[in-house]
Amino acid sequence: MGRPAAGTNPSLGPVSTPQAPQVQTRRGTELAMLGFAAGLVTLALAIADGNQEQELTRQILYYGVAFMALFGLAHLAVRKWAPYADPLILPCVALVNGLGLVMINRLDPAVIQRAKDLQRFVPSESAPKQVVWTAAGLVVFAVVMWLVKDHRMLAKYGYTAGLVGLIALALPGLLPSSLSEVNGAKIWLRLPGLGSIQPGEFAKILLLIFFAAFLVSKRDLFMAAGRRFAGMELPRARDLAPLLVAWALSVGVLVLEKDLGTSLLFFGIVLVMLYIATERVAWLVIGLTFFIGGCLIAYQLFGHVQVRVQTWLDPFADYFGKGNQISQSLFSLGTGGLGGTGLGAGRPELVTFSQSDFIIAAIGEEFGFIGLAALLIIYLLLVMRGLRSALAVRDTFGKLLAGGLAFAVCWQVFIVVGGVTKLIPLTGLTAPFLSHGGSSLIANYAAIALLLRISDAARRPAPQTPKGPKPQQAPIAEASTVLVERPT
């Protein structure tokens, strides 16, 4: 008799060897939801076209096919380079992007006709440009996923990213108005033959990388306890330098570029990342105090800040001037009511910049409060899945970067919706993935690529090591690791 085969028992027969539990990639789920988003977008295009033209045109088919093809390729990129990434992030982005394309395409004929009626400059159609910019954004999305094999490698270039980000953020404010100013805000960079870009959109991502790397390397600086006041552990005075620099930069953007939105977005991201890294409410309180103080000083010294605040407080006082945008936005939201006027059946083109800064008002008019709430829920799902990836990833840099990227989307949506609904002063920011604009789309797709890369690292199963002595490895924070240890 020969020896029994490996993995068998002479009396019991074959014995199965224990294997590691399989982790599902859920790429099939992602593909199914992308198909649902494509179908919903195509149906919405048909409804809008039918309500406006009373017939269906071939353009609907072109946009529908382009949408499915672009996000099909994006799905293949995720399947190849980040197979364990969260399956909900890309479909949420696709649906928001698609709804924005629907509204921009619906507004094109109305905006062009209104410009003709008022004998103003007649703009070209924006929907074809949005499709091109979406394609460019998804190309950048795939390139980032291909280049960044491990998100932790970005920490090595943290200070370089910070320097480039600061230059990009400050450049429009330092250039002549003829090269950077549009509608009173100096946030653009006009390139001959290439059009205009917003460097601040890309600076946002670079500065997020810098602050995540900085907070990881200098964590002890922010953990040092100072005096206690009102139940809070205040930081030492000499440790406030990074916060003071961030405050000075945000106020500088507010003054030089006349851009309240970027200033508020940038400083809010810094504060939240400080709170994530330290879990100290004192940083939030001190930061908000600095920001409010800076805004009060800017209001007293600079006329454009006074105009923004006065328009916010009483837009109807200058209805035919500075207050026309917010007034028409409020009328548009009021007209939409609970259920909306119907896609293609409203007059959202009466709001200036209804395809970009005020696209939220256009959606509120034709989709109503219910449709607008559904859109915000999609944004909420996107942010929640990003934060979930931040909680699950095992390294501290990934936690901070993913948390900052997810919060940046949330904070920007709040600033945009708050401005359109008169909750806060108008800022000029655009809704991520929804509004017409190339710089915003491309930069946000790069951010989503980084978020998916971190999500893939968080959900990827740990490699199985053979039995025996384990080799020495560099220490890495576990998923349950608290970022800081608070003193008892």
Side-chain angles (χ1 to χ4, degrees):
M1 295 179 61
R3 297 178 60 185
T8 62
N9 186 300
S11 59
L12 300 178
V15 177
S16 59
T17 56
Q19 297 181 354
Q22 296 294 323
V23 178
Q24 295 183 354
T25 62
R26 305 296 296 275
R27 299 277 66 84
T29 303
E30 179 184 81
L31 183 60
M33 288 190 291
L34 285 174
F36 171 77
L40 191 62
V41 168
T42 306
L43 177 62
L45 285 167
I47 293 173
D49 214 36
N51 283 341
Q52 289 181 286
E53 305 294 336
Q54 303 302 317
E55 63 179 358
L56 300 181
T57 62
R58 290 185 177 181
Q59 196 173 27
I60 299 172
L61 180 62
Y62 298 152
Y63 286 150
V65 171
F67 185 86
M68 286 188 286
L70 288 174
F71 282 96
L73 293 175
H75 166 75
L76 292 177
V78 176
R79 183 181 287 270
K80 180 175 179 59
W81 292 308
Y84 293 95
D86 193 297
L88 275 178
I89 292 178
L90 187 60
C92 287
V93 170
L95 188 53
V96 173
N97 196 169
L99 291 176
L101 177 62
V102 169
M103 186 54 63
I104 292 168
N105 181 63
R106 172 263 176 274
L107 283 167
D108 269 343
V111 170
I112 292 173
Q113 185 59 47
R114 180 167 172 78
K116 292 179 179 178
D117 295 341
L118 297 176
Q119 297 182 349
R120 296 176 178 173
F121 171 76
V122 179
S124 59
E125 291 187 344
S126 298
K129 298 178 184 177
Q130 188 76 351
V131 174
V132 173
W133 284 329
T134 300
L138 288 173
V139 168
V140 172
F141 169 86
V143 170
V144 170
M145 296 199 70
W146 172 61
L147 289 177
V148 183
K149 298 294 192 298
D150 187 343
H151 64 274
R152 290 175 292 183
M153 64 177 285
L154 296 174
K156 301 177 183 178
Y157 308 100
Y159 287 92
T160 303
L163 178 61
V164 176
L166 287 177
I167 294 174
L169 186 66
L171 188 59
L174 301 176
L175 290 176
S177 298
S178 58
L179 299 177
S180 61
E181 185 170 348
V182 177
N183 299 318
K186 299 182 64 176
I187 58 176
W188 296 90
L189 184 61
R190 295 178 181 175
L191 303 176
L194 298 176
S196 302
I197 63 172
Q198 278 185 273
E201 293 287 348
F202 303 95
K204 173 180 65 178
I205 302 175
L206 294 172
L207 291 173
L208 275 170
I209 295 173
F210 164 71
F211 276 108
F214 178 79
L215 289 173
V216 170
S217 62
K218 304 293 183 181
R219 185 172 58 182
D220 294 340
L221 178 72
F222 301 97
M223 290 173 58
R227 296 182 179 180
R228 293 186 63 86
F229 177 76
M232 296 184 298
E233 297 176 357
L234 298 178
R236 298 175 300 181
R238 61 180 178 272
D239 297 336
L240 292 175
L243 187 62
L244 290 173
V245 171
W247 173 80
L249 287 173
S250 64
V251 173
V253 168
L254 178 65
V255 173
L256 294 177
E257 301 184 1
K258 304 177 183 179
D259 186 12
L260 177 61
T262 302
S263 175
L264 186 59
L265 178 67
F266 171 68
F267 197 68
I269 291 173
V270 173
L271 283 185
V272 167
M273 292 188 73
L274 270 172
Y275 176 72
I276 293 174
T278 63
E279 296 184 355
R280 287 186 177 176
V281 180
W283 285 107
L284 294 178
V285 175
I286 295 173
L288 289 175
T289 303
F290 283 169
F291 187 79
I292 293 172
C295 289
L296 292 175
I297 296 173
Y299 177 80
Q300 297 295 329
L301 297 179
F302 304 104
H304 63 272
V305 179
Q306 296 177 10
V307 171
R308 284 290 181 94
V309 174
Q310 291 168 3
T311 303
W312 167 56
L313 294 175
D314 188 6
F316 299 101
D318 188 15
Y319 177 78
F320 295 101
K322 298 293 185 181
N324 183 259
Q325 267 186 309
I326 184 62
S327 300
Q328 289 291 351
S329 174
L330 295 175
F331 285 140
S332 185
L333 293 170
T335 302
L338 187 63
T341 61
L343 187 55
R347 295 295 305 278
E349 72 275 4
L350 296 177
V351 185
T352 310
F353 301 118
S354 56
Q355 294 175 303
S356 53
D357 296 6
F358 281 82
I359 196 170
I360 291 292
I363 290 176
E365 178 172 347
E366 299 203 337
F367 288 86
F369 174 78
I370 295 175
L372 185 56
L375 173 65
L376 296 180
I377 289 174
I378 298 172
Y379 274 123
L380 180 62
L381 282 174
L382 173 60
V383 173
M384 287 178 62
R385 302 303 285 198
L387 292 176
R388 180 177 179 178
S389 299
L391 290 173
V393 74
R394 290 176 291 172
D395 64 288
T396 308
F397 174 76
K399 289 178 182 291
L400 287 172
L401 183 57
L405 290 169
F407 175 76
V409 175
C410 175
W411 188 232
Q412 188 165 343
V413 171
F414 170 78
I415 293 173
V416 172
V417 176
V420 169
T421 58
K422 197 179 168 292
L423 179 65
I424 60 176
L426 286 176
T427 59
L429 289 179
T430 55
F433 305 105
L434 188 71
S435 300
H436 175 259
S439 302
S440 177
L441 263 181
I442 294 173
N444 283 315
Y445 271 115
I448 290 299
L450 293 177
L451 195 56
L452 284 173
R453 170 58 63 206
I454 297 172
S455 175
D456 175 74
R459 299 179 74 247
R460 183 180 293 273
Q464 297 296 316
T465 56
K467 294 182 178 180
K470 295 183 179 181
Q472 294 293 327
Q473 296 179 350
I476 184 172
E478 296 299 329
S480 59
T481 299
V482 181
L483 294 183
V484 295
E485 295 183 359
R486 302 178 60 82
T488 56

